[in-house]
């Protein structure tokens, strides 16, 4: 039986591992990003809620004879089954489950699956994966030409996060205890990727330094990992983008400088202590600032990501974020309009919020009024502009950059409003 794994836009790491599992079980399996390719059985890997609303994805699902969906969207399977014409949804960590689905063709006795039966959604109890030492992933020929924020591929070194940030799906999808892969398993995979032409690899997993965590941060395990990966790829071809500010110190940042592209990305989120508390971020503006300054002293560049439009964010909170950016002097800045991902506490929170209190639906009445943005979009646009002038060497905002930032803010606002509509439609499964 010919099985096709479709991972629209980018090859997700999970789709590559799933391909490896099926190949090793003797299946004829291929993997593609192309939404025109189907097999006798199709496995569709989706990483964001807005993909459920993409007309191409919806049409693809409708035209497939046997199709199952996996990925973080499986956190609330009722939405997937309500929006896409598919045979089943893998609700959690799905490599083995999806392979069982292909082989058995019925969802009923497979753990961690949701499907429709007699007009009702039926869910089977998931079983978490205990051994993360994967089989060798299926590595497509064109993985080497993929570019995700500068890397050909993001690989997984561990699953889970100790954090409980209200907006994040990582601890809800993978849990709050840390399970790490063995170093040998990771290195074998990266050697094979290199042999297949992959040159730039990023380590994903919510916060990189949790690799090897065993009750405390295992600095040695993390530094050995970076050294060994750099030994295979070369130091300028490895990145460890996502870090929590409270899980770095001088030794770790030294290793980041020596063995990687020399950047970290901190989820700073806000300059307001109140908003950080509301997000259950577990940090403070002071801790965030100290980590940025430490990284700079260690010769590591820092990108900061921020969230605007979080429920309850006042003008003063937003001003605190702008003040933070000025003080921190970040090398790059990313901004997101708060997205209530289904299955996260933020999703429940925004559903309880009256529309008139949601910045996404409030008209901007300040300086950007002529641009006809919502208040959340206006903050996103303003923050991106501000980020240009708060760099070590301030950048001029030319016409192209201005338009790109404006478009970015508008698209984010539109996409998050669409997610809001989905939440309202499936309210009974969210709250
Ligand atoms: S945002 Fe980062 S630190 Fe917070 S829960 Fe998610 S992965 Fe963990």
């Amino acid at each position: 039986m010919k099985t096709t794994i479709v991972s629209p836009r980018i090859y997700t790491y999970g789709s590559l591992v799933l391909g490896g599992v099926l190949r090793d079980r003797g299946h004829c399996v291929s993997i593609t990003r192309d939404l025109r390719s189907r097999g006798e059985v199709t496995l569709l890997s989706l990483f964001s809620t807005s993909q459920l609303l993409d007309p191409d994805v919806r049409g693809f699902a409708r035209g497939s004879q046997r199709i199952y969906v996996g990925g973080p969207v499986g956190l609330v399977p009722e939405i997937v089954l309500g929006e896409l014409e598919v045979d089943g949804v893998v609700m959690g960590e799905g490599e083995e489950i999806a392979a069982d689905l292909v082989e058995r063709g019925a969802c009923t006795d497979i753990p961690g699956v949701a499907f429709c039966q007699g007009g009702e959604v039926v869910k089977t109890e998931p079983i978490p994966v205990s051994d993360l030492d994967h089989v060798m992933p299926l590595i497509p020929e064109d993985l080497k030409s993929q570019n995700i924020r500068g890397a050909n591929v993001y690989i997984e070194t561990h699953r889970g996060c100790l954090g409980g940030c209200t907006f994040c799906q990582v601890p809800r999808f993978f849990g709050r205890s840390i399970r790490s892969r063995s170093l040998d398993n990771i290195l074998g995979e990266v050697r094979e990727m290199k042999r297949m032409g992959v040159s730039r690899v990023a380590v994903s997993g919510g916060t990189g330094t949790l690799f090897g965590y065993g009750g405390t941060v295992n600095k040695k395990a993390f530094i050995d990992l970076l050294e060994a990966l750099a030994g295979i790829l070369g130091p300028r071809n490895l990145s460890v983008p996502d870090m929590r500010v409270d899980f770095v110190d001088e030794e770790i940042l030294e290793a980041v400088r020596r063995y990687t592209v020399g950047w970290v990305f901190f989820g700073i989120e806000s300059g307001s202590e109140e908003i950080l508390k509301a997000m259950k971020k577990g940090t403070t503006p002071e801790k965030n600032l100290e980590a940025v300054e430490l990284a700079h002293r260690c010769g590591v560049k820092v990108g900061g990501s921020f969230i605007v439009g979080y429920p309850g964010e006042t003008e003063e909170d937003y001003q605190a974020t702008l003040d933070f950016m000025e003080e921190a002097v970040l090398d790059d800045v990313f901004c997101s309009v708060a997205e209530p991902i289904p299955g996260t506490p933020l999703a429940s929170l925004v559903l309880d919020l009256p529309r008139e209190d949601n910045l996404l639906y409030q008209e901007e009445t300040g300086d950007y009024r002529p641009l006809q943005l919502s208040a959340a979009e206006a903050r996103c646009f303003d923050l991106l502009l501000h980020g240009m002038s708060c760099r070590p060497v301030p950048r001029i905002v030319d016409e192209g950059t201005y338009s790109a930032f404006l478009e970015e803010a508008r698209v984010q606002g539109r996409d998050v409003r669409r997610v809001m509509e989905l939440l309202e439609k499936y309210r009974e499964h969210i709250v």
Side-chain angles (χ1 to χ4, degrees):
M1 189 182 308
K2 188 168 171 277
T3 302
T4 304
I5 301 168
V6 182
S7 189
R9 285 198 12 233
I10 58 167
Y11 290 116
T12 59
Y13 181 74
S15 66
L16 306 181
V17 175
L18 171 59
V21 170
L22 285 164
R23 178 204 56 217
D24 287 6
R25 288 200 194 181
H27 290 265
C28 169
V29 57
S30 60
I31 181 163
T32 176
R33 290 173 288 186
D34 185 352
L35 273 169
R36 288 166 302 183
S37 305
R38 292 186 177 90
E40 290 162 80
V41 183
T42 304
L43 299 165
L44 181 60
S45 173
L46 298 181
F47 57 87
S48 86
T49 317
S50 52
Q51 285 180 297
L52 298 173
L53 299 166
D54 180 335
D56 293 337
V57 170
R58 294 164 82 94
F60 176 77
R62 204 177 304 123
S64 300
Q65 49 176 321
R66 224 178 103 200
I67 179 166
Y68 305 101
V69 173
V73 295
L75 267 179
V76 185
E78 290 84 354
I79 303 183
V80 184
L81 290 166
E83 293 302 310
L84 299 182
E85 291 177 32
V86 296
D87 296 282
V89 179
V90 178
M91 292 190 292
E93 302 175 39
E95 301 91 41
E96 299 288 337
I97 296 168
D100 287 347
L101 277 172
V102 171
E103 286 168 1
R104 294 193 221 169
C107 301
T108 38
D109 54 351
I110 299 175
V113 177
F115 54 98
C116 287
Q117 197 172 58
E120 297 288 321
V121 172
V122 178
K123 298 192 229 179
T124 59
E125 198 59 37
I127 302 174
V129 176
S130 52
D131 181 7
L132 283 192
D133 276 358
H134 310 306
V135 299
M136 185 62 71
L138 184 65
I139 303 169
E141 283 290 334
D142 58 347
L143 189 65
K144 58 181 177 285
S145 56
Q146 173 165 272
N147 185 343
I148 314 170
R149 292 192 282 163
N152 300 130
V153 62
Y154 274 60
I155 63 159
E156 179 184 80
T157 57
H158 63 279
R159 287 181 182 173
C161 183
L162 301 175
C165 308
T166 54
F167 52 84
C168 178
Q169 62 197 358
V170 171
R172 281 91 212 173
F173 194 77
F174 290 121
R176 292 185 75 177
S177 59
I178 309 302
R179 293 157 293 150
S180 299
R181 296 172 61 194
S182 70
L183 184 59
D184 281 351
N185 189 253
I186 297 167
L187 299 184
E189 174 181 290
V190 171
R191 276 192 206 100
E192 180 61 12
M193 285 180 172
K194 177 141 195 233
R195 196 187 66 76
M196 294 286 290
V198 167
S199 55
R200 286 163 290 127
V201 169
V203 170
S204 66
T207 190
T209 33
L210 286 177
F211 171 69
Y213 183 88
T216 53
V217 169
N218 187 341
K219 269 199 287 192
K220 182 171 174 345
F222 178 70
I223 293 170
D224 287 351
L225 170 75
L226 296 195
E227 184 178 5
L229 288 175
I232 297 170
L233 296 161
R236 296 285 138 198
N237 292 317
L238 173 67
S239 55
V240 194
D242 301 316
M243 296 280 204
R244 262 188 78 99
V245 296
D246 43 358
F247 290 150
V248 293
D249 66 8
E250 211 167 319
E251 220 179 317
I252 285 171
L253 289 163
E254 274 295 323
V256 168
R257 186 185 55 76
R258 184 178 311 163
Y259 298 122
T260 78
V261 293
W263 277 78
V264 288
F265 292 84
F266 289 140
I268 289 168
E269 326 304 1
S270 174
S272 154
E273 184 144 12
E274 288 310 307
I275 293 295
L276 289 176
K277 262 190 211 153
M279 291 174 170
K280 295 198 175 18
K281 186 72 198 177
T283 60
T284 61
E286 290 70 34
K287 279 191 202 163
N288 285 339
L289 191 60
E290 277 167 25
V292 173
E293 289 172 351
L294 179 65
H296 281 156
R297 280 203 300 281
C298 293
V300 172
K301 289 193 188 292
V302 183
S305 51
F306 294 85
I307 292 175
V308 292
Y310 194 85
E313 183 189 70
T314 62
E315 270 300 334
E316 291 70 36
D317 293 320
Y318 179 61
Q319 186 56 50
T321 299
L322 298 181
D323 295 345
F324 177 92
M325 287 167 70
E326 277 186 20
E327 207 175 343
V329 193
L330 296 160
D331 299 283
D332 204 354
V333 164
F334 301 87
C335 182
S336 309
V337 172
E339 181 184 344
I341 299 172
T344 63
L346 177 59
S348 312
L349 189 66
V350 294
L351 276 176
D352 285 342
L353 193 71
R355 270 209 175 186
E356 58 272 22
D357 294 339
N358 189 331
L359 294 168
L360 205 54
Y361 298 98
Q362 287 177 13
E363 250 178 61
E364 156 71 357
T365 53
D367 293 349
Y368 300 116
R369 188 174 181 176
L371 298 174
Q372 298 185 313
L373 300 170
S374 68
E377 289 160 11
R379 285 185 189 174
C380 179
F381 176 54
D382 183 61
L383 192 144
L384 289 169
L385 291 176
H386 202 69
M388 296 291 277
S389 60
C390 296
R391 298 190 186 201
V393 179
R395 302 252 189 100
I396 304 288
V397 178
D398 58 22
E399 215 174 299
T401 308
Y402 184 95
S403 303
F405 286 170
L406 186 55
E407 177 66 6
E408 168 75 24
R410 284 200 168 117
V411 168
Q412 284 203 36
R414 184 202 62 199
D415 287 352
V416 178
R417 271 189 297 276
R418 285 183 180 164
V419 171
M420 281 298 305
E421 282 165 25
L422 272 187
L423 292 182
E424 275 156 15
K425 186 169 168 188
Y426 296 93
R427 174 181 282 271
E428 63 184 294
H429 303 292
I430 306 288
V431 288

